[in-house]
Amino acid sequence: DNISYKMSALGEQAIKRGYLLYRNILKAHYKNLPTKMRALGDIYVREEFRQNIQKADGDQFDKFLSSWEDYHRTITVIPDKDINTAKRVITEADKQNELDKKLNDEQKENLEDLKTFIYKNT
């Protein structure tokens, strides 16, 4: 997952901030999400971060990180990997945090796919 700073239009500090948030989200997934949700969530987060570090400009990346910081705060309240609470928290998070304003069309579609998968497979 080491992406060269030269491959990105972002500065070193922005990328470090992104990696720290990425790592904290994965830790929160491990601590708070049921196994099936964690596996899918980890894949989704990894791909979103990889794409944005490589393609986003500074302003876009700040908005991206802000959205994921909201998500991180949201999932840290899930008690004891409770599946029902996790489903509710994750599916309501976009309403609470106004993700529709912050995500592009492809990210919105990916989020909807993730929600559908969660409900069908847990």
Side-chain angles (χ1 to χ4, degrees):
D1 278 333
N2 288 335
I3 298 172
S4 170
Y5 301 127
K6 294 176 183 174
M7 292 175 58
S8 173
L10 305 171
E12 184 177 345
Q13 288 301 106
I15 291 175
K16 285 182 179 179
R17 179 177 164 221
Y19 277 127
L20 178 62
L21 178 58
Y22 171 74
R23 191 173 72 227
N24 288 338
I25 289 171
L26 293 181
K27 286 179 184 178
H29 280 182
Y30 180 78
K31 181 179 177 187
N32 300 92
L33 294 181
T35 304
K36 287 182 179 179
M37 290 178 80
R38 184 179 81 227
L40 182 63
D42 288 354
I43 292 167
Y44 180 75
V45 170
R46 181 177 57 240
E47 289 305 312
E48 285 293 308
F49 272 77
R50 180 176 287 141
Q51 289 175 13
N52 276 277
I53 284 175
Q54 292 175 347
K55 297 178 183 177
D57 66 26
D59 187 48
Q60 291 169 333
F61 196 65
D62 284 342
K63 290 176 184 177
F64 171 80
L65 290 180
S66 177
S67 295
W68 281 102
E69 287 165 347
D70 291 344
Y71 170 78
H72 179 254
R73 280 189 294 278
T74 300
I75 64 169
T76 58
V77 300
I78 300 169
D80 300 321
K81 299 184 181 185
D82 178 67
I83 188 72
N84 292 323
T85 303
K87 285 180 180 179
R88 182 180 48 76
V89 167
I90 290 171
T91 57
E92 291 177 359
D94 59 334
K95 294 174 194 166
Q96 296 168 358
N97 298 315
E98 299 181 26
L99 286 178
D100 285 338
K101 294 179 184 176
K102 297 178 182 178
L103 298 177
N104 66 35
D105 290 338
E106 181 181 352
Q107 290 169 325
K108 289 176 190 176
E109 185 178 320
N110 288 342
L111 184 59
E112 288 305 314
D113 291 345
L114 176 62
K115 289 178 189 178
T116 301
F117 181 85
I118 288 169
Y119 274 102
K120 287 182 179 178
N121 294 294
T122 55

